[in-house]
Amino acid sequence: MNPELRVIISGGGTGGHIFPAISIANEICHQRPDAQILFVGAEGRMEMQRVPQAGYKIEGLPVRGLIRPLWSPKNIGVMLDFLKSRRRAKTIIRNFRPDVAVGVGGYASSPTLNAAHALGVPCLVQEQNSYAGVTNKSLAKKAKCICVAYEGMERFFPKERTILTGNPVRQNLLTPNVSKEDAIRSFGLQPGKKTLLIIGGSLGARTLNQSVLSHLEEIRSNADTQVIWQTGKYYSASIAEQLKATPGGCPENLLVTEFVSDMAAAYAAADLVVSRAGASSISELCLLGKPSILVPSPNVAEDHQTKNAQALSTRGAALFVSDAEAPEKLINLALKTVEDEELLLSIGAEALKLAKPDAAEVIAKEVLKLAEKEK
């Protein structure tokens, strides 16, 4: 066995998988400065850029998702790529010789952890959602440890190997270095006004964007509220054209941006956040005690975002609006809620109760335990 700790971390596809994975890697390195970490991701996906930016090496696999309908002949190619990915993953594991493999979800997790298990490497699975996906349920049968973010996950995984850890979040959110007033000013807005933040994520902004576009006059007429609206890069050009064609143009109290680069400042500025219900976003909102309205994306496996949102809304830790209802109801509800100080305080306090600020630390310790046990 290698004298230093060697860890493979696999997964990605979205920021919701990548940011927790990087947080786990950072914490492993904090606890064991001698650790050597290698990421394994899917070729052409976001992790292939974000992981090197965070200072880690990454290997890519040609793995991709199944095409619907499942009987499509194109899935023959998908399955061939999966087999190719598993073979490549075995080569990567033999060359790197890890002490432990960690799967965080995403296309690359399955071939990597299956290959690791086949080669006798102990595996840890991190399930971020309140409803376990098919891949993680399958991988959990081979994992020594399953780290989960919600209570009651024993209905999916063996109780004796399941640990409630929470989801790791981006470290820069844990140590905000800007006041609310300065954060608001950094966006060119006015500190005296209520601030609403609308974020759809990189891929899930369509319904939220439609909701804003169909209620521009309501936003314009609520002059005491200002809105930061992240449209997503894919939609930014068409939205700019639609705003240009709107009578009166873009409301003065609406800041439109395709991407918010400083989420710590955006959260600090916001009195209320409108967001999709991805596991990573929910963990950040809870950690910061931010009142939110969650609009689950319907275009995800097993409709897990709805289950994530319900896990908060049933406890009064968020408000819930379905994707179908959002274009009609969302903006009016948000404009009303952001003015209700008592409700904002209540939602924020309940969200904070669900926070797990030491999630990355706990998961890293479990990784170290597995490595030491195998040695």
Side-chain angles (χ1 to χ4, degrees), residues 71-296:
W71 47 260
S72 169
K74 294 180 180 178
N75 280 325
I76 296 172
V78 173
M79 294 309 298
L80 290 174
D81 281 343
F82 179 84
L83 295 174
K84 188 188 300 181
S85 295
R86 187 167 173 177
R87 287 195 299 271
R88 188 178 296 179
K90 281 188 174 182
T91 300
I92 291 169
I93 290 163
R94 287 192 181 104
N95 291 338
F96 185 67
R97 294 169 289 118
D99 298 302
V100 60
V102 179
V104 298
Y107 297 143
S109 280
S110 181
T112 304
L113 263 68
N114 274 300
H117 179 263
L119 293 171
V121 178
C123 300
L124 179 148
V125 169
Q126 197 236 341
E127 173 55 65
Q128 299 166 2
N129 296 296
S130 62
Y131 189 90
V134 173
T135 299
N136 271 356
K137 281 190 281 189
S138 174
L139 291 175
K141 296 174 184 176
K142 303 167 183 177
K144 301 280 188 181
C145 177
I146 305 105
C147 297
V148 300
Y150 293 89
E151 296 176 352
M153 296 299 285
E154 295 84 4
R155 68 189 190 276
F156 302 112
F157 306 123
K159 184 176 181 179
E160 67 277 6
R161 289 187 278 129
T162 301
I163 301 172
L164 179 63
T165 61
N167 280 326
V169 300
R170 289 173 274 192
Q171 269 98 340
N172 67 329
L173 299 179
L174 299 174
T175 54
N177 55 5
V178 63
S179 67
K180 180 176 182 178
E181 291 74 20
D182 287 341
I184 291 173
R185 289 192 186 97
S186 73
F187 289 96
L189 301 175
Q190 300 178 42
K193 294 185 176 183
K194 290 287 187 181
T195 303
L196 174 63
L197 172 64
I198 302 175
I199 44 175
S202 55
L203 302 174
R206 184 180 178 211
T207 297
L208 303 190
N209 290 343
Q210 290 175 337
S211 301
V212 175
L213 287 169
S214 57
H215 290 83
L216 290 173
E217 290 310 309
E218 286 88 339
I219 293 171
R220 198 189 310 274
S221 63
N222 279 265
D224 292 332
T225 297
Q226 52 200 0
V227 181
I228 301 171
W229 174 24
Q230 178 183 277
T231 65
K233 185 176 181 179
Y234 180 80
Y235 302 99
S236 61
S238 64
I239 285 173
E241 290 298 319
Q242 290 178 72
L243 289 172
K244 197 180 296 184
T246 298
C250 181
E252 291 185 3
N253 57 336
L254 177 62
L255 172 64
V256 186
T257 177
E258 71 175 38
F259 179 72
V260 175
S261 58
D262 190 348
M263 279 306 301
Y267 281 137
D271 295 286
L272 175 66
V273 180
V274 173
S275 174
R276 288 303 199 183
S280 186
S281 296
I282 285 179
S283 295
E284 292 175 355
L285 293 167
C286 289
L287 184 71
L288 299 171
K290 278 293 168 184
S292 64
I293 300 176
L294 300 175
V295 185

